[in-house]
Amino acid sequence: MSHDEEQPSPALTDAEAAERIHARFPALATARVVRLGEGMDHQAFEVAGRHVFRFPRSDAAAGHLEWEARLTAWLAPRLPLPIPVYHFLAPSTSDLVVGFGGYEKLPGTPALLVEPGRLDLPDLGRRLGAFLGALHALDTAAADALGVPGDDDPELEAWSAAALEDLHLAVEHGHVEPHRATDWKRRLTERPPRGRDAPRLLHGDFAAEHVLVDVHGAPTGVIDWSDACVGDPARDFAGLLHWGGAPMLTSALETYGSVSPAVVSRARWFAACRAVADIAFGQTQRRPEYLVAGQRALTGLEEHLSFGD
């Protein structure tokens, strides 16, 4: 999830999405279109039971989709897990406010929808550590040539401001007790030191909702690359901390390789920002799975009273 200032456009109905897909891609003219879900930036629909089509909800998200399609085509053969490759792409036109795109549906269920107790989180951590190791080792110059942006908030001012807003909403709706909020406000205000680590190509929103798993809990793919950027690797590690706590991150580093204590410290801070964002998103969008995930992450992070530890 992102905190773009641009307000999202109204959600499309299944019929509206079907009309656009059928008109743009004649081979799918009779395909059944069923809503899969939506966030602040995109809506997703299943088409013919075989494809996933994503509709950006803003001009900014539409611009992201264009370079995301180039990026995933380049990444797919270079990564150890499947990722979406857009075989259908409808660019923005004068009579279509924003474009949209579709890819062959990857097998599996978003891990966010699977009870963590049913998953072998250390094993997942090792597999995802290898995935991040391969991703972070790729040439950032090549990513730049594909149109992948650099981190637009290296000083973390926007991250901190958004997290404080999300925390306020979480307290207002009773999801975080006021006495806990005092400590969280201090920690989210005190931004961690900027890292000296070399910028890496990031997924940018590496979290349980974007990792697909099979019935045995093994990862089958990584979706939604719209927040990819070149920046601080701690952002991707934060998703593992948020999802499975320190044990999952420790397992991931077994296959990723060593990182500095500063990266782990910054990952805790990003994970806390993600946790309150999940709670706010769950409240405003009526998505209880995000509320649960955000509250669980906050509880797991509370033992770290200082992100500088």
Side-chain angles (χ1 to χ4, degrees):
M1 291 169 302
S2 63
H3 290 280
D4 292 339
E5 294 182 4
E6 185 179 359
Q7 291 300 308
S9 60
L12 296 173
T13 66
D14 291 14
E16 289 170 335
E19 181 180 10
R20 296 188 185 191
I21 293 168
H22 294 165
R24 183 62 180 81
F25 300 105
L28 300 174
T30 61
R32 184 167 180 255
V33 176
V34 179
R35 181 191 308 267
L36 286 176
E38 62 189 64
M40 298 301 291
D41 296 327
H42 297 87
Q43 283 184 275
F45 296 85
E46 182 182 86
V47 179
R50 302 184 47 214
H51 309 288
V52 173
F53 271 72
R54 296 175 71 222
F55 285 81
R57 301 187 64 189
S58 67
D59 290 338
H64 283 206
L65 183 62
E66 293 179 9
W67 62 251
E68 181 185 349
R70 295 193 296 269
L71 173 66
T72 55
W74 180 75
L75 282 176
R78 293 172 168 83
L79 295 176
L81 289 173
I83 66 172
V85 176
Y86 287 83
H87 298 296
F88 302 94
L89 197 61
S92 301
T93 63
S94 58
D95 60 340
L96 184 64
V97 176
V98 294
F100 59 93
Y103 57 85
E104 187 171 347
K105 186 178 180 181
L106 300 179
T109 301
L112 177 70
L113 304 180
V114 180
E115 175 60 38
R118 294 174 50 199
L119 298 171
D120 184 342
L121 293 179
D123 181 65
L124 265 172
R126 285 185 285 272
R127 296 186 188 215
L128 296 177
F131 177 87
L132 288 180
L135 174 64
H136 291 180
L138 292 173
D139 183 9
T140 56
D144 180 69
L146 292 166
V148 178
D151 186 357
D152 62 357
D153 185 28
E155 302 301 327
L156 307 181
E157 293 180 4
W159 273 86
S160 181
L164 292 172
E165 290 181 11
D166 291 335
L167 176 63
H168 177 77
L169 188 148
V171 173
E172 181 182 358
H173 290 275
H175 302 303
V176 175
E177 298 88 344
H179 70 276
R180 294 173 66 205
T182 301
D183 278 343
W184 281 118
K185 182 177 181 180
R186 173 178 57 81
R187 283 181 269 175
L188 294 170
T189 301
E190 297 174 356
R191 303 190 297 274
R194 186 173 180 177
R196 297 180 180 178
D197 304 86
R200 307 289 186 179
L201 173 57
L202 310 178
H203 178 278
D205 196 8
F206 196 67
E209 65 262 36
H210 297 144
V211 176
L212 304 178
V213 296
D214 64 17
V215 293
H216 304 293
T220 59
V222 178
I223 60 173
D224 194 347
W225 290 78
S226 59
D227 287 308
C229 67
V230 174
D232 186 349
R235 283 180 54 174
D236 280 349
F237 292 127
L240 297 176
L241 269 175
H242 175 284
W243 179 3
M248 192 174 195
L249 177 59
T250 298
S251 297
L253 294 179
E254 292 176 14
T255 52
Y256 181 92
S258 62
V259 298
S260 70
V263 169
V264 176
S265 179
R266 293 196 304 276
R268 293 176 193 157
W269 189 84
F270 282 119
C273 292
R274 175 181 292 281
V276 292
D278 273 2
I279 294 172
F281 183 79
Q283 172 65 38
T284 58
Q285 302 299 312
R286 300 181 180 179
R287 299 285 297 274
E289 67 272 28
Y290 283 91
L291 282 171
V292 171
Q295 289 173 321
R296 181 173 58 239
L298 276 187
T299 299
L301 287 163
E302 276 182 326
E303 63 185 86
H304 302 290
L305 296 179
S306 169
F307 290 113
D309 292 346

